[in-house]
Amino acid sequence: MILRRWKGLIRTAERDAYAAYIRDTGGTDYTSTPGNLGFQMLFRDLGDGTSEVTTLSWWRDLADIKAFAGEDITLARYYPEDDHYLLDRPLNVEHHEVVENSLPLQG
């Protein structure tokens, strides 16, 4: 099983709107791609009016991630309204091989 991790920065005041936006874009794309085992969205208030956003998506293997992300799976995938919400747009994502798993994920 592979974990794909992306991290960005938003205005804390837009947290709820951004969460809904992600559910309707990336979340829908994650869960509709064969081989996706689920995703999580995390927020961390930085106390200065900004919040860090992390998405974790869980995949059977790298081939399944390629079906979602394209040929270069290291590149972050963005959507049309991301420029409205994101204060930064990291170019890359991380991939980690899951070697122990106590979560109720398949894989």
Side-chain angles (χ1 to χ4, degrees):
M1 179 173 27
I2 307 294
L3 166 69
R4 179 178 169 96
R5 180 178 171 262
W6 171 87
K7 185 169 61 170
L9 193 66
I10 63 166
R11 291 168 207 82
T12 302
E14 295 185 321
R15 175 182 164 154
D16 292 342
Y18 186 68
Y21 169 70
I22 290 299
R23 274 191 294 275
D24 293 342
T25 56
T28 297
D29 284 349
Y30 289 147
T31 57
S32 66
T33 303
N36 177 263
L37 304 172
F39 80 98
Q40 296 169 314
M41 186 183 342
L42 308 130
F43 288 95
R44 183 169 68 106
D45 185 348
L46 300 178
D48 62 356
T50 66
S51 291
E52 182 180 84
V53 180
T54 303
T55 59
L56 306 173
S57 56
W58 309 88
W59 302 86
R60 281 186 314 211
D61 57 40
L62 293 174
D64 294 328
I65 295 172
K66 192 178 285 188
F68 165 76
E71 192 63 33
D72 186 350
I73 64 169
T74 67
L75 295 178
R77 181 172 170 183
Y78 289 102
Y79 296 87
E81 293 297 314
D82 284 337
D83 285 337
H84 169 77
Y85 292 106
L86 294 173
L87 301 176
D88 66 340
R89 278 177 78 131
L91 181 61
N92 297 103
V93 298
E94 297 176 357
H95 294 94
H96 302 267
E97 181 180 359
V98 177
V99 297
E100 288 288 330
N101 176 31
S102 66
L103 298 173
L105 298 170
Q106 299 172 342

